[in-house]
Amino acid sequence: MFFVDLRKMPKVTFRKLGRHKATGMAHIPMDRRLDSHIEIDSRLKGREKFETYLHEALHLALPDLPEEDVLKAARFQALVAWAEGYRHRGKPNSSSQ
Ligand SMILES: [Zn+2]
């Protein structure tokens, strides 16, 4: 059984994901003692990167939500938040932007 502890920050890592045909990936542990994990394509920037964070986080929060709904919700949330001026401030371990 899959389990994501939503009180804990998932591990977030960056690498080139091109061959997976995805901009991000969400990994849900089979063992509740292990952390969930989000991978983001290291080449993403700006709103696309932001939307990918939201998308993968939504997969962890609601693992049964169909891909189409995850796409729709993350895209809309990114649109609204971006229009309100939310931006990534940059962290040493989260690549460029
Ligand atoms: Zn997805």
Side-chain angles (χ1 to χ4, degrees):
M1 167 147 175
F2 298 115
F3 180 82
V4 179
D5 185 347
L6 297 179
R7 297 166 303 179
K8 286 168 68 182
M9 178 66 191
K11 186 169 76 172
V12 180
T13 58
F14 299 85
R15 67 185 173 99
K16 287 183 184 178
L17 293 173
R19 66 195 162 91
H20 298 283
K21 294 195 191 324
T23 54
M25 294 174 80
H27 304 279
I28 300 173
M30 302 272 280
D31 182 333
R32 63 172 58 216
R33 290 168 300 185
L34 299 175
D35 289 337
S36 53
H37 180 198
I38 289 175
E39 288 189 291
I40 306 282
D41 191 305
S42 52
R43 294 164 295 187
L44 294 183
K45 293 193 185 326
R47 191 168 124 189
E48 194 181 4
K49 183 176 178 180
F50 180 51
E51 183 178 322
T52 303
Y53 269 111
L54 295 175
H55 182 108
E56 302 309 332
L58 194 50
H59 273 307
L60 296 181
L62 301 168
D64 296 326
L65 200 65
E67 179 67 19
E68 191 182 321
D69 293 342
V70 172
L71 273 169
K72 210 188 294 180
R75 190 172 297 147
F76 186 64
Q77 288 186 305
L79 175 74
V80 171
W82 204 256
E84 278 300 307
Y86 285 90
R87 298 292 185 274
H88 198 282
R89 187 172 41 179
K91 259 190 335 191
N93 62 350
S94 63
S95 61
S96 55
Q97 189 184 348

